[in-house]
Amino acid sequence: GESVGLHLPTLSVQEGDNSIINCAYSNSASDYFIWYKQESGKGPQFIIDIRSNMDKRQGQRVTVLLNKTVKHLSLQIAATQPGDSAVYFCAEKTSGSRLTFGEGTQLTVNP
Amino acid sequence: DAGVIQSPRHEVTEMGQEVTLRCKPISGHDYLFWYRQTMMRGLELLIYFNNNVPIDDSGMPEDRFSAKMPNASFSTLKIQPSEPRDSAVYFCASSLGQGPYFGPGTRLTVT
């Protein structure tokens, strides 16, 4: 079946470095994508989204890139801070309003 | 603005008991989602509503699970009878165009 997957289950970076978290998706008909951050014991927190008619979107310290040719989504975090340590999920809207989540990447920021 | 509100935050019950989880979506949102998260299966969509009407309940595990949305500001997820394999974190989420935005979750433990 179609699914959203992550290339790296864990990512460890130094404080102040930039982080890049990657995600592959397989449904070429998906038209909406979201990145979520989930800290331990909390619900997924909406970070940034992008629609399929765009290839880049920027937020505060975060940028999402969408490459529809290779069905790839990435989240870039600038000047990573210890508070950025969490599990990051990509999600794609497949059919209707159904959102399919990837497996998650654990980001660890070392001081 | 208040986010999605869920209650209770933690629930411990014995096998065979009825469990009711509650959710208040973000005011004005027209979609409401119930998700379940486990280590083994990740985030799974159970059911979602649009304007209080159930649209897709294909993720509801079995007849022991039921969900209702009597009005735009309240939804329940009921499990009757509960089983140990229902132990998980249950999230409610809501959206209006963008999102969804998640609540803090209810951690359910069935012994």
Side-chain angles (χ1 to χ4, degrees), chain B residues 2-54:
Chain B
V4 175
I5 299 172
Q6 292 187 247
S7 65
R9 294 294 311 277
H10 302 273
E11 178 80 35
V12 180
T13 191
E14 293 183 345
M15 182 175 62
Q17 296 298 306
E18 177 180 295
V19 175
T20 299
L21 311 181
R22 296 173 175 81
C23 174
K24 177 179 170 55
I26 295 172
S27 178
H29 281 192
D30 58 352
Y31 279 87
L32 183 139
F33 306 80
W34 282 101
Y35 281 87
R36 178 172 68 176
Q37 185 176 39
T38 61
M39 290 294 291
M40 292 296 293
R41 301 171 70 92
L43 273 161
E44 302 174 280
L45 176 65
L46 300 177
I47 185 171
Y48 74 89
F49 297 81
N50 178 222
N51 292 322
N52 313 338
V53 177

Side-chain angles (χ1 to χ4, degrees), chain A residues 20-97:
Chain A
I20 299 177
I21 302 172
N22 296 301
C23 177
Y25 66 94
S26 57
N27 188 341
S28 57
S30 295
D31 61 0
Y32 182 57
F33 304 86
I34 306 174
W35 280 101
Y36 287 92
K37 171 187 180 183
Q38 187 173 26
E39 297 174 274
S40 181
K42 297 183 178 180
Q45 176 189 353
F46 180 103
I47 301 174
I48 191 167
D49 61 353
I50 189 168
R51 298 196 182 274
S52 59
N53 60 351
M54 302 173 69
D55 54 18
K56 179 179 181 179
R57 190 152 188 249
Q58 289 184 290
Q60 187 177 12
R61 282 200 307 118
V62 295
T63 300
V64 56
L65 298 177
L66 175 62
N67 185 330
K68 295 180 288 292
T69 302
V70 295
K71 298 177 193 167
H72 185 266
L73 193 68
S74 68
L75 177 70
Q76 300 178 1
I77 305 174
T80 314
Q81 303 168 0
D84 294 328
S85 294
V87 177
Y88 289 80
F89 294 94
C90 65
E92 77 180 296
K93 191 178 76 169
T94 50
S95 61
S97 289

